Amino acid sequence: MSQPTPVVDEANAEQFRAWNGDDAQDWVSNADRYEAASARYDPWLLDAAAIGATDRVLDVGCGAGVSTRAAARLAVDGHATGLDLSAPLLAEARRRTAAAGLRNVDFFQGDAQVHPFEPAGRDVAISRFGVMFFADPVAAFTNIASALRPGGRLAAVVWQEFARNEWLRLLVETLATGRDLPRPAPGAPGPFGLADPDAVRRILTAAGFSDVDLADVREPVLLGSGPDDAYAYVSSLGPVRALVRGLAEDARAGVLAELRVRLSERAGPDGVLLGAAAWVVTAVSGR
Ligand SMILES: C[S@@+](CC[C@H](N)C(=O)[O-])C[C@H]1O[C@@H](n2cnc3c(N)ncnc32)[C@H](O)[C@@H]1O
């Protein structure tokens, strides 16, 4: 079945390219590991969303759909829709959802900032690390709010600042090898796009949400079941490959060996776990 051409804001075109290019293939191949890495945040997200049996749920930036399926299992007499920019991840989401035998789920490719949602057609919007990438967050959350009925709920989990996320700090610091690498910019579209709590309150209030709350949740990220598994995962990631790409052969071998050592040092009985911090953001649509 052919999909309609997704509506994407010009300002999000770079994200569209990124999530439909080589890195998307990484996400598809590593989908189980991505799911497991931040799985300790899932109960917090679902608890905050308080999805009821008849709820109609929208999952923004659903990726391979782990949270969409979790929502569908709760909305047994309702429905869950996953929306994402990435065609490869949506194909994987559909495959996994069919394999799970879930029927109250569908997926759409589109840009949450401009996707023409059915007005007030949803009771809850959720996101598992999928709402930090918008070029214009106020426009995007205004559009998401338009999909919610008055009094509908938003629940999203987003990363706190880089400094509080040891899992990424360890990777960047190990791979920098003395290079002064730019830190991910707080507030810019990317993993730390909603790291500043005051900015989140401003954005959501401007977008028409009320009762905005951010809960400080600290759960570790799982990089692998053991040192070899963690190294295989981490060294295959697009951003990691990009960080080592510019290095000469010897230097590259050196930093990858150092990465293996650093990951081994963090292995424990529950796998390779590194410190992380997220906000669980909740808000209500309409003032
Ligand atoms: C970090 S991934 C999270 C994926 C998934 N929620 C998970 O937890 O595995 C971020 C996702 O947001 C999607 N995304 C980024 N910008 C988007 C936009 N403007 N509209 C819809 N989805 C977007 C990406 O394609 C990607 O799948």
Side-chain angles (χ1 to χ4, degrees):
M1 193 177 65
S2 75
Q3 292 290 310
T5 308
V7 182
V8 178
D9 192 284
E10 184 50 39
N12 289 324
E14 187 46 47
Q15 290 289 335
F16 183 82
R17 273 190 289 279
W19 291 105
N20 285 281
D22 292 347
D23 284 358
Q25 226 32 71
D26 277 350
W27 276 81
V28 171
S29 331
N30 282 308
D32 287 334
R33 283 162 152 164
Y34 278 113
E35 283 186 10
S38 47
R40 284 172 166 78
Y41 288 92
D42 294 351
W44 292 95
L45 174 64
L46 293 175
D47 195 45
I51 294 166
T54 60
D55 277 343
R56 299 156 303 166
V57 183
L58 172 68
D59 185 4
V60 181
C62 63
V66 61
S67 44
T68 326
R69 287 185 291 280
R73 290 188 181 99
L74 294 167
V76 278
D77 298 319
H79 189 84
T81 296
L83 175 78
D84 202 283
L85 281 180
S86 172
L89 279 167
L90 287 168
E92 184 63 14
R94 290 188 183 102
R95 197 186 63 71
R96 287 171 177 249
T97 302
L102 290 165
R103 307 182 74 91
N104 58 339
V105 185
D106 57 4
F107 293 97
F108 288 97
Q109 188 182 19
D111 175 357
Q113 191 172 312
V114 289
H115 183 77
F117 294 116
E118 178 197 341
R122 305 283 165 172
D123 302 292
V124 192
I126 62 168
S127 183
R128 183 186 192 261
F129 302 109
V131 284
M132 304 92 80
F133 303 89
F134 307 132
D136 184 340
V138 173
F141 281 104
T142 302
N143 197 38
I144 293 166
S146 79
L148 290 170
R149 64 167 168 78
R153 307 181 300 287
L154 170 73
V157 61
V158 303
W159 295 120
Q160 294 189 28
E161 61 179 314
F162 177 75
R164 293 186 189 168
N165 278 290
E166 185 199 19
W167 60 278
L168 195 57
R169 246 181 32 232
L170 178 132
L171 301 186
V172 172
E173 285 167 9
T174 307
L175 298 172
T177 58
R179 291 176 292 174
D180 193 13
L181 297 176
R183 294 283 180 262
F192 304 102
L194 293 180
D196 175 355
D198 291 333
V200 173
R201 285 186 201 97
R202 267 198 311 275
I203 289 165
L204 291 182
T205 305
F209 285 95
S210 62
D211 299 333
V212 179
D213 186 63
L214 289 89
D216 176 358
V217 177
R218 314 270 171 127
E219 295 281 6
V221 157
L222 176 70
L223 292 183
S225 55
D228 290 343
D229 187 42
Y231 178 77
Y233 171 41
V234 166
S235 58
S236 77
L237 299 176
V240 170
R241 285 191 280 115
L243 283 175
V244 294
R245 199 171 292 137
L247 297 171
E249 185 119 7
D250 279 5
R252 185 182 315 147
V255 289
L256 289 174
E258 173 67 14
L259 180 62
R260 193 186 273 278
V261 169
R262 301 281 297 267
L263 292 170
S264 307
E265 287 167 357
R266 306 307 303 272
D270 296 324
V272 178
L273 289 166
L274 275 91
W279 300 119
V280 176
V281 181
T282 49
V284 175
S285 145
R287 294 200 179 88

